Amino acid sequence: MVENAEEIKKSSTEASDMQKHSTSDEKTSVTAAEKSDIASKIPPEESLPVPPTPASISSKKTVVSANSDNKVRVHFVAVGSAPIMKKTKFKIDADQQFAYVMASLRRTLKLADDSADALFLYCHSAFVPSPDQRLGDLNECFSVRGELVIHYCLKEAWG
C-alpha cells in the first residue's frame, strides 16, 4: 500500500510538471500582432545590424565607380613602322571591351576592317589582351601612373 501511495505521488508530480511545461509553452507562444507591437517598441539603436548581401556589396562597388571618373586613360605607343598618331592619349569608358579599342584604333589609323591590314596591339609590350576583356579590368591590373599603355604595330613585334 505504501508503494502504491508513492507511485501515485510520483505520477501526480509528473503530471503537474507536465502541466507547468505545457502552460509555460502556451505563455511563450506569441501572436503576429504581439510580435509587431514588440518590434515597434524597440528603438533603432538597439536593433541588430543586417549583414551585407552579395547584391548590396556589388551595388556599393558600382556606386564607388560611379562617383569616380569611370574612364580609363589609354596611351597608345607606335612600334616599328606603325604610323604615329598626333594625339596618343585618350579617355575611354571602363566598361568598353578591348575589341572597341581595336576598332577605334583601326578607324583612327585609316586601316581596312578586313584582315588585309594587320594591326597588333600589346599591353605594356608584353601580351595581347583578349578582345572581350574589359578596359576597367586591364586598367586595374596593368596601369602605370594612372594610364594603360597599349603598344600598336602593323607587323607582329612580340610573341
Side-chain angles (χ1 to χ4, degrees):
M1 184 96 148
V2 175
E3 291 177 16
N4 286 340
E6 287 179 14
E7 288 178 23
I8 293 172
K9 192 176 185 182
K10 282 184 183 178
S11 64
S12 67
T13 56
E14 289 175 358
S16 65
D17 287 342
M18 289 176 64
Q19 281 182 338
K20 286 180 186 176
H21 290 298
S22 66
T23 56
S24 67
D25 289 342
E26 291 171 2
K27 289 179 184 176
T28 58
S29 64
V30 180
T31 63
E34 292 173 337
K35 285 182 183 179
S36 66
D37 290 340
I38 293 169
S40 65
K41 292 178 184 177
I42 298 174
E45 302 85 42
E46 296 177 17
S47 62
L48 296 174
V50 178
T53 61
S56 66
I57 292 171
S58 65
S59 66
K60 288 179 183 176
K61 287 182 182 177
T62 57
V63 169
V64 170
S65 63
N67 289 340
S68 64
D69 198 14
N70 204 22
K71 299 269 185 181
V72 175
R73 288 185 355 173
V74 180
H75 182 193
F76 291 107
V77 178
V79 176
S81 63
I84 298 172
M85 298 187 300
K86 289 181 181 178
K87 182 180 177 187
T88 59
K89 296 184 180 183
F90 297 91
K91 281 192 174 185
I92 302 173
D93 189 28
D95 292 330
Q96 290 291 340
Q97 294 180 345
F98 194 72
Y100 172 79
V101 174
M102 295 169 75
S104 61
L105 189 59
R106 278 188 172 281
R107 281 192 305 271
T108 305
L109 297 175
K110 297 179 179 141
L111 299 175
D113 287 336
D114 60 357
S115 60
D117 292 330
L119 178 65
F120 297 93
L121 300 175
Y122 299 93
C123 185
H124 293 291
S125 66
F127 69 97
V128 179
S130 172
D132 63 345
Q133 187 75 37
R134 284 184 57 247
L135 282 180
D137 296 339
L138 286 171
N139 187 48
E140 286 177 20
C141 297
F142 303 107
S143 66
V144 175
R145 288 183 230 112
E147 64 184 20
L148 184 64
V149 179
I150 304 293
H151 293 83
Y152 67 95
C153 54
L154 301 178
K155 295 181 179 175
E156 192 171 358
W158 294 283

